Amino acid sequence: MTRFGKIVLGAAFGLALGAQAQAQSKGELHIYNWTDYTSPELMKKFSEETGIKVTVDTYDSNETLLAKLKSGAAGYDIAVASHDFVQILSREGLIQKVHAAKFPDYGNLKKEWQSPAWDPGNEYSIPYDWGTTSFGYDTAVYTKPVDSLKTFYDPPAELKGKIGMFGSPTEVMSLVLVYLGKPQCNSNPADLKEAAAVLEKQKPSVKLYNSDGIQDRMASGETVAHQVWSGDFRRARAQRASLKYLFAKEGGIAWMDNIVVPAHAPNLENAKIFMQFMLKPENSGMHSTFAGYPTAVTGAEKFTDPAVATAPEYLPPKGWKYTFAPSCDEKAIRAYDRIWTKLRQ
Amino acid sequence: MTRLRSLLLMAPSLLTIGIFMAVPMLVALAYSFMTSSPYGGVQMPFSVGAYIQILYDEDFDGTLAFTTDYLMIIGRSVVLAGLTTAACLAVAFPTAWFIVCRAPRQRQLLLFLVSLPFWINTLIRTYCWVLLLRDEGLVNHLLEGAGVTDEPVTLLYNDGAILLGLIYTFLPFMVLPIYSTLERVDHRLIEAAYDLYANRRLVFRRILWPLARPGVAAGALLVFAPALGSFLAPDLLGGGRKLLIGSLIQLEFTSGRNWPFGSAIAVLVSTGVLIAMLIQARRGRPPSELHA
Amino acid sequence: MTTVSARPAPQAARSYLKAPGAAASTEPLVAIRGVSMSFGPVKALIDINLDIENHEFLTLLGPSGCGKTTLLRLLGGFEHPTAGEIRLNGQDVAPLPPQQRPINTVFQNYALFPHMTVAGNVGFGLEMSGWRKPDIAGRVEQMLAMVRLADYGNRRPDQLSGGQQQRVALARALAPSPQLLLLDEPLSALDQKLRKEMQIELKRLQKESGISFVLVTHDQEEALTMSDRIAVMSAGRILQLGAPAEIYDRPVNRFVAGFIGEANILPAAALGRSGGSVAVRPERVSVVEPGAARHRGTVASIQYLGSDTLLEVDTPAGMQRARVRGSAGYEVGGTVGLDWPGDAEVELQD
Ligand SMILES: Nc1ncnc2c1ncn2[C@@H]1O[C@H](COP(=O)(O)OP(=O)(O)OP(=O)(O)O)[C@@H](O)[C@H]1O
Ligand SMILES: [Mg+2]
């Protein structure tokens, strides 16, 4: 999910997809997805099974997706949106109801992922995949056992100046609030001051704030600890075995990407066919292998590459506390923004 | 009749300038006077709140407090863009002159080399600097290999790295216009100046520099304006540790969801650049009056 | 009328070299000794030896590509000879750059600085050699008056006519009172009438200033009317050096005889002389009765030149031309006699 990789690889996949699956006459499906997040093999399989021609367009942030759909000039049948944006999109009337609960394979969804908080009754969406956000670090550099996020917010000498943080204020703030045990989307001045103080104190130890290229930085040793998405971290660990993902005692942040159908999608029926296609364990597993993140479909693990499915950061341990950071109101966003701007003065 | 004709002939270029330059700026201007909608975008009513925010920001408890944060960011960006422009000029002028002094065929090749980076995505090129400069990067490997240093020198994630990236990115924009003016300078003017007892320094100051000034002015603008608004180099090479205008505007349009504020800053900066341009155009018009 | 004073400018170049008066009396202003110049395989100048005297007007004359400009550029310091020595007041200046030589140039296209006013141009050399501002203003005024452009100081070069630009270039080059002024075809861009005027003007300026001029031209008439001495060049060599009359009356070889004015070239044997060939100027030839004449032939063509008539006469010694006053009734095909005084015959080296 790095921006750099997305652009390079996205261009290649776009070409590859455009070239195949043309002759069929069962209509088309226009997918709008994160870059480097659509398995070309899976799309090929979909086209072969259904005769529907797939085109993929990519974006690099939820905000881009929102802006694009808002501009009305979309023409997409499928979009992939993070859980916090599903709520925004539905509230703004930018996606339409598909009543996924009525799909024959709806039962394939694991119980805990059915009817999530951001989409009760799965009226608008089905899960695409999900993951967690925490810190990863190099056990070769910092050898002592780590169980708390404190190690990274108030780091020991070994880690000072070599910590990487995300480059987006909302993601930085949500994990800090978990660390402090405070509620998400916080606009309580006292809590905000505390969070700001943690970040200010941490700053001298931070090498950089950037959500791109984490995998590369951790693999090369450029940073020895980093705020990171679980799936990204697995790829880094594949290059440097001493890396370890922390499931901290304070808990962590989780997110889920979801398949939604934009309002006025030109091929609504094909979009529904695609959603049902993604509910099949073999297809979901194929996606999981490609993306490196677990999905919400029962039995998908069986079709996921074991190297991916057995990775320590693939799934959190049973009982680990994680929070789905919701979409925040303007007040909280403004406050985060202000902390973020001050921090980088 | 001829007036109409010339107007018609000018129409395509006026339209182009209008669509690609004026419209985006007008849109930004309009946005800056509106209210932000909760999930990004703008809505009614009109408001000057965005401009007030530049100086008076809302504190956590909702009270307005005077802040120099944004002024600092703007100031830092202007300084950095200015340094970039100066450094580009210092490198580009001799480079352009060197190229002008080559044989025509070599010139073609050298110009091609100067414009070569345009063929590669800026993001990729900037990222390549990360690969070169990072602790485990080529530069550090070479330094260590040559025995100059024992452990990696931190080259990245500071203002110097940003400056380097900006200079690298925008250098061609300085070289090309300067080259095009220098190329048109009659070589005999330089010989004439030497003949009249000018030394190298004076030939540069009194002949080459004034004659190349239109190119220098164009180059300075082409470097300064985008350097001021750039966010790739600050983010990638500066590690996002310090905010610059470009990153700030980008932030406000994305996760900050405060389009009016982002627009207000953009308008402020564009206005500044525009004023600088006008002053430059005014000063540069009659070159003969430089040395009356 | 204003004159160019010989006031020495306080310049570095000046002090580096001995003043003209201080030079040994036998030493010319410039002594060019065994100078050769090659551009890669092209030999532009071959073993040039030439003296340039004080106060003289010397012209380099020759066909295109013979090396005139190259020689001038060597004097100016824009090129450096591949071999030989160029002495100014007895000192070798061959390695010195232009700014260290008290020599100024009027360039063929004038090379006026487009971004400066006329006054700025004229004062440039003074400024560069360290004159004080008020002195410069006075000198510029004086120079502009001298070239009759007194009121043009605030104009820009592109607001002047070709002739005016030419004069600004002259004023600019003369302002610092150089010891030597080089002019590369300064009049070639002007029309016939203006050219004549400027020829007179140039000559006047040279006389008044007392500065030595070296003028490059391929216009023989220009060379003859203006010069104290002419150096006729061909293919990188100086073929003959001398006063105009000397060159005209006693050309040393066929090339010079043919290049300057017109000449009948006859084999020496045909005149009962020893040696190779002999030149006779057409205007020295008189047309006489065929009977008593030393040479006889048939009129091949008749060309009326206004006051004169040019006859081409086919003789046993070859085609001869005769330039005669008036337009007496000759006809093509008629037989005429040709005669000339003995001193009209010039023996040529080849
Ligand atoms: N920079 C140079 N590089 C190579 N060859 C040159 C150069 N300058 C002059 N030459 C050659 O040297 C020879 C003499 O050139 P020069 O310019 O001195 O001739 P010129 O007598 O001034 O001719 P013109 O009357 O046409 O101006 C020519 O054959 C020319 O091609
Ligand atoms: Mg010439």
Side-chain angles (χ1 to χ4, degrees), chain C residues 39 42 44 62-71 79 108 185 216 218:
Chain C
F39 297 103
V42 181
S64 185
C66 69
K68 307 180 295 287
T69 296
T70 304
L71 184 52
E79 312 275 3
Q108 186 165 1
E185 308 204 24
V216 160
H218 50 234

Side-chain angles (χ1 to χ4, degrees), chain A residues 154-168:
Chain A
D154 189 7
E158 295 94 317
L159 299 179
K160 279 206 163 85
K162 290 178 175 169
I163 293 178
M165 293 291 287
F166 276 160
S168 115

Side-chain angles (χ1 to χ4, degrees), chain B residues 186 191 194-195 197 206 288, chain C residues 73 105 109 115 127 156:
Chain B
D186 185 348
E191 287 191 343
Y194 277 123
D195 190 59
Y197 314 113
R206 298 296 304 277
S288 63
Chain C
R73 289 176 61 79
T105 306
N109 66 342
H115 56 295
E127 209 183 316
R156 273 199 298 156

Side-chain angles (χ1 to χ4, degrees), chain B residues 186 188-200 202-203 206-208 210-211 287-292, chain C residues 11 73 78 98-99 101-105 107 109 111-117 124-125 127-129 156 172 176:
Chain B
D186 185 348
R188 274 167 295 200
L189 294 181
I190 293 153
E191 287 191 343
Y194 277 123
D195 190 59
L196 293 162
Y197 314 113
N199 54 29
R200 283 168 65 97
L202 285 165
V203 167
R206 298 296 304 277
I207 310 296
L208 272 184
L211 290 177
S288 63
E289 280 155 32
L290 289 178
H291 300 285
Chain C
Q11 62 191 234
R73 289 176 61 79
F78 304 114
Q99 64 268 34
R101 302 181 185 206
I103 297 174
N104 289 342
T105 306
F107 291 83
N109 66 342
L112 297 177
F113 304 128
H115 56 295
M116 300 183 198
T117 58
F124 188 81
E127 209 183 316
M128 292 302 113
S129 39
R156 273 199 298 156
R172 183 177 74 175

Side-chain angles (χ1 to χ4, degrees), chain C residues 220-241:
Chain C
Q220 45 142 324
E221 198 185 318
E222 194 168 292
L224 291 172
T225 54
M226 297 169 74
S227 318
D228 296 323
R229 288 194 303 159
I230 298 174
V232 183
M233 295 179 65
S234 172
R237 294 177 200 274
I238 294 178
L239 300 183
Q240 188 171 6
L241 177 69

Side-chain angles (χ1 to χ4, degrees), chain B residues 3-282:
Chain B
R3 261 186 72 92
L4 186 70
R5 240 179 77 98
S6 68
L7 255 172
L8 280 176
L9 285 173
M10 266 161 38
S13 39
L14 287 180
L15 220 67
T16 312
I17 293 172
I19 290 173
F20 289 109
M21 308 193 57
V23 169
M25 288 192 50
L26 289 177
V27 168
L29 188 65
Y31 278 12
S32 70
F33 284 107
M34 290 170 83
T35 314
S36 64
S37 50
Y39 306 118
V42 290
Q43 62 189 18
M44 286 303 186
F46 283 110
S47 152
V48 290
Y51 290 94
I52 293 174
Q53 199 190 338
I54 295 174
L55 286 178
Y56 293 92
D57 208 357
E58 230 172 71
D59 217 335
F60 295 145
D61 50 18
T63 55
L64 281 185
F66 178 74
T67 173
T68 55
D69 290 4
Y70 301 114
L71 293 181
M72 293 276 288
I73 292 169
I74 292 173
R76 184 159 60 224
S77 306
V78 168
V79 167
L80 206 58
L83 286 175
T84 305
T85 310
C88 278
L89 182 58
V91 177
F93 205 105
T95 308
W97 182 242
F98 176 82
I99 298 174
V100 167
C101 293
R102 297 305 103 183
R105 288 199 50 192
Q106 278 184 338
R107 278 192 221 174
Q108 293 296 319
L109 178 73
L110 289 169
L111 283 178
F112 173 72
L113 288 178
V114 166
S115 54
L116 200 61
F118 288 143
W119 296 84
I120 305 163
N121 180 295
T122 314
L123 173 60
I124 294 175
R125 283 188 287 136
T126 309
Y127 195 77
C128 287
W129 274 107
V130 175
L131 297 185
L132 284 175
L133 296 180
R134 64 184 185 181
D135 291 357
E136 303 297 319
L138 187 66
V139 173
N140 267 313
H141 276 306
L142 288 178
L143 285 177
E144 283 168 59
V148 183
T149 54
D150 301 333
E151 54 183 52
V153 186
T154 304
L155 301 168
L156 271 179
Y157 313 130
N158 50 45
D159 288 350
I162 301 179
L163 192 60
L164 181 76
L166 290 176
I167 293 168
Y168 166 75
T169 307
F170 298 116
L171 189 58
F173 293 106
M174 189 67 100
V175 173
L176 296 178
I178 292 180
Y179 169 82
S180 76
T181 48
L182 284 182
E183 191 198 21
R184 277 180 272 132
V185 172
D186 185 348
H187 208 86
R188 274 167 295 200
L189 294 181
I190 293 153
E191 287 191 343
Y194 277 123
D195 190 59
L196 293 162
Y197 314 113
N199 54 29
R200 283 168 65 97
R201 200 173 55 80
L202 285 165
V203 167
F204 172 79
R205 209 163 61 88
R206 298 296 304 277
I207 310 296
L208 272 184
W209 177 256
L211 290 177
R213 260 194 52 172
V216 171
L221 199 73
L222 287 176
V223 171
F224 185 82
L228 194 59
S230 92
F231 54 86
L232 270 181
D235 274 7
L236 289 182
L237 300 173
R241 292 178 57 84
K242 281 192 176 168
L243 217 45
L244 293 171
I245 295 177
S247 321
L248 179 63
I249 294 173
Q250 192 213 23
L251 186 69
E252 296 305 334
F253 273 91
T254 54
S255 51
R257 295 186 208 158
N258 195 348
W259 291 21
F261 185 52
S263 300
I265 291 174
V267 165
L268 198 72
V269 170
S270 311
T271 310
V273 170
L274 217 66
I275 289 172
M277 255 168 85
L278 288 177
I279 292 172
Q280 180 62 45
R282 186 154 284 213

